[in-house]
Amino acid sequence: MIRTGVLFALRDDPELVQYAESLGYESAWAAEGQGKTAFGKLERWAVHTDEIDLGTGIVNVFSRTPATLAAAAATLDAHSAGRAILGLGVAHPGVVETFHGVPFDRPLARMDEYIELVRRYLRGEASEFDGEFFQPERTSFWDAFEPVRSEIPIYNGALGPGNVRLTGEFADGWLPNLYPRPQFEEALGWLETGAERGGRSREDVDVAMYVLTSVHEDPAVARRRAAEHVVYYLRDVPGYYGRAAEHAGLGDEVEAARAAPSTDAAVAAISDEFLELVAIVGTPEEARTQLAEIRGMGVDLPIVRAPSGVSRAWVETMLDVFAP
């Protein structure tokens, strides 16, 4: 069975989710950032769909308590008849501190504790929990609410070595974004190391990579849209995405894009070779071939996404091109 998901990022369009479901997409994912909540969008999508899985992609572990996060996931799971997926991430200081006003402190230790606590709430364990960040006296919901499933898949949007190893040890899935191909190959080793620590194998962790796709009959248009998306992440999301690209040998272009005086200049600093390592760019036929290559790298569940800011028609075309 060919598995393909789709990230609608900040879009909130139930008709697009319905269309993805009709084409056979396995899952639809909603981002959160600093706008509409992912859970609010997914609850809405659940009403309009019957089979497609619904994932948070992602929610951060600083803006909600584990109890609140577990309750939101369990509620979505109940309203969707067991289709919820919980995608977590540590985000970055620009979101956590600037928007939420919470210190970005020890993110990996916090993620570890979050995963454990969320699972305890879903299982309904009444005993107390004495953690580093949270010390609830009981980790179960009121008797008025029993989760549909005592286990909901938890994916971690990890990028760095320590976080990827943590994913292998504790999470059900790994959810990297804009990951250069050479870095991904190395990171599979980190994932395997973490899995071994947890008494598991790499195959026990679902690798569900976000795949930036920019598909157009005019290659120049496809390239421009992909480059604009990459530039946004390099210039406006500090640290993480640039660090992965630098580790893959793309540091000069990262530096040039960040130092550029305008978006146009930054786009011009991104080479075709850079885009080939982080995205699918080209005509529909070329794009389908590239997606097959990504599966061959070891990606169990490619989750396709369109570049930021494109039209609804562009997203519909993407769904048609990559339909399972």
Side-chain angles (χ1 to χ4, degrees):
M1 181 180 66
I2 296 178
R3 304 175 62 208
T4 311
V6 56
L7 170 66
F8 289 113
L10 302 183
R11 288 181 181 273
D12 182 13
D13 188 335
E15 290 184 359
L16 277 177
V17 184
Q18 286 179 315
Y19 188 52
E21 182 177 59
S22 73
L23 292 174
Y25 282 84
E26 177 178 302
S27 52
W29 300 71
E32 189 166 86
Q34 301 171 43
K36 289 183 177 180
T37 69
F39 287 110
K41 289 181 285 187
L42 294 168
E43 288 278 355
R44 185 181 183 207
W45 300 355
V47 174
H48 293 274
T49 56
D50 299 305
E51 298 179 354
I52 194 168
D53 290 339
L54 302 170
T56 60
I58 60 171
V59 293
N60 76 75
V61 294
F62 287 90
S63 59
R64 297 174 175 89
T65 66
T68 303
L69 202 56
T75 303
L76 172 62
D77 208 43
H79 291 170
S80 63
R83 292 184 281 138
I85 302 171
L86 184 55
L88 301 178
V90 298
H92 57 87
V95 169
V96 175
E97 296 183 347
T98 304
F99 182 66
H100 291 287
V102 177
F104 188 73
D105 178 46
R106 302 194 64 209
L108 300 193
R110 181 177 287 262
M111 175 63 75
D112 184 352
E113 193 164 302
Y114 253 80
I115 292 174
E116 181 176 355
L117 269 171
V118 167
R119 285 178 172 155
R120 286 174 64 106
Y121 281 110
L122 292 173
R123 290 194 301 264
E125 297 183 11
S127 59
E128 66 179 5
F129 178 86
D130 185 19
E132 180 179 354
F133 302 96
F134 300 96
Q135 301 84 33
E137 294 184 8
R138 63 178 174 86
T139 53
S140 61
F141 299 122
W142 287 344
D143 292 338
F145 177 56
E146 182 176 348
V148 170
R149 292 183 292 173
S150 59
E151 295 183 3
I152 292 175
I154 297 177
Y155 287 58
N156 185 18
L159 297 178
N163 206 359
V164 175
R165 285 190 284 267
L166 183 149
T167 302
E169 188 171 1
F170 298 111
D172 300 299
W174 178 35
L175 202 62
N177 180 30
L178 276 185
Y179 227 55
R181 311 285 189 263
Q183 179 79 350
F184 175 79
E185 294 169 4
E186 182 180 3
L188 285 178
W190 305 335
L191 190 70
E192 185 171 0
T193 297
E196 290 173 352
R197 288 179 182 173
R200 306 191 295 170
S201 69
R202 172 357 222 137
E203 287 70 26
D204 294 323
V205 185
D206 195 28
V207 178
M209 175 186 277
Y210 286 148
V211 181
L212 172 62
T213 71
S214 189
V215 184
H216 200 279
E217 293 293 351
D218 184 342
V221 173
R223 185 204 178 281
R224 171 77 190 190
R225 285 297 196 177
E228 289 173 344
H229 183 99
V230 170
V231 160
Y232 164 74
Y233 274 87
L234 293 179
R235 288 163 67 92
D236 297 339
V237 183
Y240 292 92
Y241 298 100
R243 196 175 305 148
E246 290 164 357
H247 194 78
L250 302 168
D252 290 344
E253 291 184 53
V254 171
E255 183 178 353
R258 286 177 173 164
S262 66
T263 298
D264 286 343
V267 166
I270 300 298
S271 68
D272 291 344
E273 290 74 21
F274 191 135
L275 295 179
E276 288 173 3
L277 292 179
V278 299
I280 288 176
V281 183
T283 65
E285 183 175 351
E286 293 170 337
R288 283 187 285 267
T289 298
Q290 292 173 52
L291 186 62
E293 293 171 352
I294 286 174
R295 294 184 194 276
M297 288 169 36
V299 176
D300 302 315
L301 175 64
I303 301 173
V304 297
R305 67 156 302 163
S308 299
V310 297
S311 67
R312 189 180 193 277
W314 186 299
V315 178
E316 290 177 343
T317 298
M318 177 195 72
L319 290 172
D320 291 334
V321 168
F322 298 110

